[in-house]
Amino acid sequence: MTLTQLVKPTIPATVLDASVSINGAAAVVSLRGEADPFTLPVVIDVLARVIADHDGPVIIDLAHTNFIDTGTIRAVARAWRFLDERGRHLTVRSPSRIAVRILVLFDLAHLIEPDQAAA
C-alpha cells in the first residue's frame, strides 16, 4: 500500500446558507443551517459584503439556524463594533435559546431585537 492509497479522513459536511434581503433601510442576513467552524468563512464573507454594500442597519436573522458556535458570535461582535463606530446599527433577530446564552455570555444581549409581542 502506498501513501496515495490511504483513505483520506473526511470532514463532516455541514451546510450553512446565508442570504441577504432588504427590509426598508435594513439589510437582513438570514442564516439557515449550522454556523460552526467549517462555515465561519461564509458568515464572515456575507457580513463583510453587506457592511460594504449597504449604508443602513444590519439585521442577522437566526430563525432557521440549527446550531451556532462562539466563533460565529465573535464575528457578529466584530461586525457590531465596526458598525457602531460608524454610527450604524446591528441587531440579531430570532436567536435560539443557545444563541441567546452565548450572546449573554459575550455581553451582547443588547443586540437581540426586542420581542414584538412585548412591545
Side-chain angles (χ1 to χ4, degrees), residues 33-71:
E34 297 184 9
D36 61 22
F38 299 108
T39 61
L40 183 58
V42 172
V43 175
I44 292 170
D45 181 59
V46 73
L47 287 175
R49 283 188 290 119
V50 164
I51 290 169
D53 293 345
H54 301 282
D55 293 331
V58 175
I59 300 168
I60 301 173
D61 189 341
L62 300 177
H64 301 287
T65 306
N66 304 330
F67 175 82
I68 190 164
D69 72 341
T70 58

